[in-house]
Amino acid sequence: MRHESVPIYWRNIPHYYRLVARRCKKCGAVYFPPVVKCRCGSTELENVELPREGRLVEYTVLHQVGTDFLKQKPLIVGLVELSNGVRVAGQIVDAQPDKLAPGAKMEVVFRRVIADGKHGLVMYGYKFRPVGGI
Amino acid sequence: MSRVGVVSWGAYIPKYRIRTEEVARIWGDDPLRIVDVYLVDEKSVEGLDEDAVTIAVEAARRAIRRAGIDPRRIGAVYAGTESKPYAVKPISSILVDALGLSNNAFAVDMEFACKAGSEGLVAAIGLVDSGRAEYGMTVGTDTSQGEPGEHLEYSASSGGAALIVGKDGVAAELEAMYSFVSDTPDFWRREGSPYPMHGEGFTGEPAYFRHIVGAAKGLMEKYGYKPSDFTYAVFHQPNGRFPVRAASMLNIPMEKIKPGIVVTHIGNTYNASALMGFARVLDTAKPGDKILLVPFGSGAGSNAFVFTVTDLIAEKQKTGVPTVEEMLRDKIYVDYAQYLKMRKMIRLFE
């Protein structure tokens, strides 16, 4: 499988590592992943770091997954509403699927996402996990 | 402003645990004997998507959260480890971007077996004390290796501990530090070797005890301390027996070292071992408590530190950052097959 290229990964480091989103200076809308133009038409956006806590909105368990995640089956993917209301989708780790439920308190964690083979780059980024353990 | 000291601490223990009896079951050892020899009931295991980098980031984020400071004020960051995911590419530069530090930060990874994280503490103290950095950070982080079926496997585990050093908002003021180093062939891993070797006869007396006791005694003699001055003593913890014996050699009673012992519950987290014990003590320490901290690294060397807890400790303990005690209880047990998968010890096509 072709991985995300090294330059693209490098450019995305602020949003992969620290959930750096873009906020419209005119209407205040926050975008994650970042965008270059707001729905209101403004192109004046600033960087803003999203909070690292939230609640689980919904989740699903994937048994058919992409090549990079074959060894991690089953994969839990969920939508988390962060404490400022922004919703972010991501992988859920350190959790047992049958014990997860919408509303569960979640935290952002820093994890390996893709390792490009044995010799290539290890790409890190955000995932979510339940607070206090499930 | 006060004298230089520890402003904040943060620890991270992966959630997964394997029981000593499960490892012993696979390799035909008597689990009761193994537990009796090492006093390790279970050890922490990193998740499949965790490594020394991710563990360092989590511990460091908790230290920053507790400190309540803008991370851009941290002018130096050091990672001490012997489980780097890359042979060449620093953990410390990943920390700069993952933590949101300024690009104007001194950053390097340190290697001295299990002592490197504490050597980062020495470097951070030096920079902060001389006024060249406002705050400095060191992180001890490891997913330590032990050959399957070999005795190291019963203790080699995963975890991280971070300390932020500064002069403003100090929770534990540095009083003294002292080093003791010699060329000792007790434990090594050659370039390209997957697992370390240890010279059996060298592990105890010529390595651990000589350097820990040498550093602690040297510090006490040079700065005029006696064992009764310390409220707590925290030593490197390769197993449960060594720190107890080191304390006995230094005439430090058991009740002063017990609060800092974590190895029984999570194994030897190498660079995080003594720093994790220190973090556990700081989680409950009171103003005026004096803490003797003596990490050790094979090869071999020890740094001994004395810290005095300040009045700010109570406010630093109430920041909502998970305590070491909470992490010791928050766990998911895995069997030996899951453990091999999580530790990436099954060979796969890549």
Side-chain angles (χ1 to χ4, degrees):
Chain A
M1 182 176 175
R2 263 186 77 81
H3 302 283
E4 187 169 76
S5 74
V6 171
I8 291 175
Y9 169 71
W10 176 75
R11 276 198 292 275
N12 283 328
I13 277 178
H15 100 248
Y16 288 166
Y17 284 15
R18 287 185 287 119
L19 290 177
V20 173
R22 297 286 280 171
R23 180 168 58 199
C24 176
K25 285 185 175 179
K26 285 200 171 165
C27 73
V30 177
Y31 294 90
F32 189 88
V35 296
V36 291
K37 188 176 182 183
C38 181
R39 275 189 294 268
C40 77
S42 170
T43 52
E44 285 187 46
L45 296 104
E46 60 187 350
N47 284 342
V48 55
E49 211 169 303
L50 298 178
R52 292 203 285 264
E53 309 81 40
R55 298 264 174 198
L56 183 62
V57 177
E58 201 40 273
Y59 72 101
T60 189
V61 182
L62 302 178
H63 296 273
Q64 299 290 328
V65 299
T67 318
D68 284 324
F69 300 94
L70 277 177
K71 312 299 183 194
Q72 297 181 43
K73 294 194 306 288
L75 206 68
I76 315 174
V77 177
L79 185 65
V80 173
E81 185 168 302
L82 300 174
S83 54
N84 65 348
V86 174
R87 289 183 170 193
V88 177
Q91 190 180 337
I92 296 171
V93 295
D94 295 354
Q96 295 165 31
D98 54 336
K99 292 189 179 168
L100 273 175
K105 202 171 170 196
M106 308 295 282
E107 64 181 347
V108 174
V109 289
F110 185 85
R111 294 293 171 101
R112 291 163 73 107
V113 179
I114 291 170
D116 186 7
K118 198 173 168 59
H119 304 287
L121 200 67
V122 180
M123 300 179 185
Y124 296 92
Y126 63 87
K127 295 184 183 179
F128 297 98
R129 74 170 186 178
V131 175
I134 285 185
Chain B
M1 286 283 183
S2 59
R3 281 160 52 182
V4 65
V6 172
V7 169
S8 180
W9 65 99
Y12 178 79
I13 304 170
K15 284 201 177 187
Y16 303 97
R17 302 283 190 280
I18 188 164
R19 291 188 171 97
T20 300
E21 63 192 43
E22 171 69 359
V23 180
R25 180 180 72 82
I26 300 299
W27 296 108
D29 283 322
D30 174 0
L32 292 177
R33 189 185 145 267
I34 295 290
V35 170
D36 184 55
V37 169
Y38 298 112
L39 298 181
V40 176
D41 296 334
E42 55 195 41
K43 65 170 191 171
S44 54
V45 181
E46 74 276 18
L48 188 65
D49 59 356
E50 293 186 286
D51 61 20
V53 173
T54 66
I55 288 170
V57 169
E58 294 297 341
R61 279 183 175 167
R62 289 171 176 187
I64 291 172
R65 188 172 141 206
R66 187 192 305 279
I69 57 170
D70 181 342
R72 286 171 295 188
R73 293 166 71 186
I74 298 172
V77 59
Y78 301 113
T81 187
E82 54 180 279
S83 4
K84 277 165 67 80
Y86 291 99
V88 179
K89 188 176 184 305
I91 294 176
S92 51
S93 64
I94 300 176
L95 285 172
V96 166
D97 272 320
L99 304 175
L101 270 53
S102 152
N103 298 118
N104 177 217
F106 295 103
V108 75
D109 294 3
M110 298 204 171
E111 194 281 314
F112 194 131
C114 303
K115 182 176 82 103
S118 85
E119 207 61 32
L121 177 59
V122 172
I125 286 168
L127 281 174
V128 170
D129 208 19
S130 64
R132 287 178 166 80
E134 187 182 5
Y135 295 103
M137 172 185 270
T138 186
V139 192
T141 178
D142 265 304
T143 54
S144 52
Q145 309 87 32
E147 184 194 355
E150 206 270 339
H151 274 218
L152 268 182
E153 193 188 24
Y154 287 109
S155 55
S157 68
S158 303
L163 297 172
I164 298 177
V165 171
K167 285 184 178 176
D168 193 14
V170 170
E173 198 174 270
L174 177 77
E175 284 195 4
M177 57 184 185
Y178 188 93
S179 181
F180 191 103
V181 177
S182 78
D183 181 356
T184 309
D186 60 318
F187 174 101
W188 60 88
R189 180 161 66 85
R190 295 272 300 274
E191 181 68 39
S193 296
Y195 307 112
M197 307 275 291
H198 55 117
E200 302 250 345
F202 282 91
T203 304
E205 297 304 334
Y208 182 89
F209 296 110
R210 180 179 175 218
H211 294 80
I212 292 248
V213 172
K217 275 193 172 164
L219 178 139
M220 288 195 261
E221 281 166 22
K222 183 171 178 182
Y223 295 99
Y225 292 102
K226 46 191 190 303
S228 58
D229 290 333
F230 306 120
T231 323
Y232 300 103
V234 183
F235 304 116
H236 177 57
Q237 300 161 34
N239 56 56
R241 290 205 180 274
F242 275 24
V244 173
R245 176 135 182 260
S248 156
M249 290 164 83
L250 290 163
N251 293 318
I252 294 173
M254 182 70 181
E255 67 265 20
K256 293 190 177 184
I257 62 159
K258 208 173 169 189
I261 288 186
V262 290
V263 62
T264 310
H265 313 288
I266 55 169
N268 180 5
T269 53
Y270 282 36
N271 270 284
S273 172
L275 301 185
M276 183 83 70
F278 184 47
R280 192 186 192 196
V281 165
L282 288 173
D283 281 340
T284 58
K286 299 203 164 30
D289 286 348
K290 222 176 266 299
I291 304 167
L292 172 68
L293 169 67
V294 195
F296 164 81
S298 290
S302 273
N303 291 319
F305 305 85
V306 178
F307 292 98
T308 300
V309 176
T310 74
D311 292 339
L312 290 179
I313 192 77
E315 120 188 14
K316 302 280 168 123
Q317 288 166 343
K318 289 181 198 148
T319 48
V321 174
T323 63
V324 173
E325 196 60 37
E326 284 165 347
M327 285 184 281
L328 294 179
R329 288 198 299 264
D330 183 12
K331 55 192 171 183
I332 300 169
Y333 285 105
V334 295
D335 62 23
Y336 197 80
Q338 291 169 302
Y339 157 84
L340 289 180
K341 179 183 174 185
M342 287 172 160
R343 300 224 70 191
K344 305 156 197 75
M345 287 157 83
I346 301 173
R347 289 186 71 184
L348 305 166
F349 282 118
E350 287 184 290

